[in-house]
Amino acid sequence: MQTLVFFEKPGCISNAKQKKLLSAAGIPFTTENILEYAWDPLSLAPFFSGTPVVEWINPNAPAVKDGEIDPTQVTEHEALAMMVNSPILIRRPLIQVGNLKWAGFDLPYIAEILGVSGDYASTQGIESCSHPQKGECD
């Protein structure tokens, strides 16, 4: 079985829950700190292929919450530049399995790709921030 790469924000409660689900499903993974990874537009863009730009940006990032950035008004080029310069803006987690890359946690999809059997339908919705008002999900 391939090893999944899980790009997380250390200390994120939702990312911790997601990693527990991966472990419980027997899915091997490694973690990368999304905030410290050496991103550039070419390495980041494939995670968002085929999705609207508004879904690329972390809605809980301080600049979004404070109204400094309106994700509905950002071009692909602008979004990539902003996320490279300020990785807190990157929607997480980012997931990589071999050459496949995407943003967001979808355990049924992950299990399907890796050939892991089980009923993971109850894990839907685990992607959202657990404490958006406390500032823990920036």
Side-chain angles (χ1 to χ4, degrees):
M1 179 182 313
Q2 290 183 314
T3 299
L4 177 145
V5 181
F6 187 92
F7 292 86
E8 68 171 337
K9 176 188 169 207
C12 173
I13 294 169
S14 292
N15 285 169
K17 289 178 183 177
Q18 294 158 348
K19 291 187 303 183
K20 283 184 182 178
L21 289 170
L22 291 172
S23 292
I27 296 172
F29 66 94
T30 61
T31 59
E32 291 283 349
N33 183 333
I34 202 168
L35 304 177
E36 295 179 356
Y37 195 80
W39 296 113
D40 62 50
L42 291 176
S43 64
L44 191 55
F47 289 95
F48 303 103
S49 179
T51 60
V53 175
V54 70
E55 293 179 15
W56 299 8
I57 298 174
N58 175 4
N60 294 302
V64 175
K65 283 183 174 180
D66 295 343
E68 296 170 34
I69 296 173
D70 179 355
T72 66
Q73 301 300 312
V74 177
T75 67
E76 289 182 13
H77 178 75
E78 291 169 333
L80 289 170
M82 287 189 298
M83 292 187 299
V84 166
N85 289 327
S86 183
I88 197 69
L89 292 170
I90 302 171
R91 176 182 172 202
R92 60 183 185 270
L94 296 182
I95 306 280
Q96 180 174 350
V97 177
N99 292 327
L100 295 174
K101 298 177 181 182
W102 68 90
F105 188 79
D106 184 343
L107 188 55
Y109 179 65
I110 293 167
E112 178 183 331
I113 286 173
L114 295 174
V116 176
S117 60
D119 180 14
Y120 302 108
S122 64
T123 63
Q124 298 299 354
I126 190 76
E127 184 176 14
S128 60
C129 179
S130 299
H131 302 331
Q133 276 64 43
K134 295 184 180 183
E136 296 172 6
C137 296
D138 318 350

